Amino acid sequence: MSTQSQESQESQEFHELYRRHVQYVLDGNVEASLADMVQENIPQVFRGVTVPRGKVDSLRVVDIRREGATWVGETVYDTPDGRIGLRSVWESRDGSWKAAALENFPPEAGG
């Protein structure tokens, strides 16, 4: 397999993983969304970060991109308490991509 097709396959696989992950958040499936995270980073990864807690009315994935050895996903969640822009940084751990860090961004900045 060529390097380009390997990159394309990895990109497709990560896009599918990320979209599945944000669907867990939309569905309120906390257990499944936490399973996608680097376990030793929980709970400090949530410190100082606003995340959807409870009901999410809708979401919009605004960006999924490769940054060096990581993937970054950005999604805007619409909740009863307002909009939340949430960026997650994913690292490869034992052959699987896991969310290792979270940070907020202004929801208006997302596309």
Side-chain angles (χ1 to χ4, degrees), residues 27-107:
D27 294 342
N29 189 341
V30 175
E31 187 175 312
S33 64
L34 288 176
D36 283 340
M37 302 188 76
V38 176
Q39 296 303 297
E40 60 266 24
N41 291 11
I42 301 170
Q44 67 267 22
V45 74
F46 293 101
R47 249 184 239 130
V49 179
T50 302
V51 298
R53 298 195 186 278
K55 185 172 181 355
V56 174
D57 297 318
S58 65
L59 64 82
R60 180 171 49 94
V61 174
V62 295
D63 195 19
I64 302 173
R65 64 184 178 278
R66 187 89 146 114
E67 286 189 359
T70 65
W71 280 95
V72 176
E74 295 180 344
T75 298
V76 173
Y77 296 94
D78 288 305
T79 73
D81 296 325
R83 299 178 90 199
I84 300 170
L86 189 60
R87 176 180 301 118
S88 54
V89 179
W90 296 65
E91 299 175 352
S92 180
R93 298 288 180 108
D94 299 320
S96 298
W97 289 100
K98 298 288 184 182
L102 297 175
E103 59 189 43
N104 293 115
F105 64 90

Side-chain angles (χ1 to χ4, degrees), residues 10-26:
E10 180 182 295
S11 176
Q12 179 180 344
E13 288 172 1
F14 184 79
H15 277 70
E16 289 171 6
L17 168 67
Y18 184 74
R19 290 183 185 283
R20 185 193 74 210
H21 175 77
V22 299
Q23 185 65 44
Y24 290 152
V25 176
L26 179 67

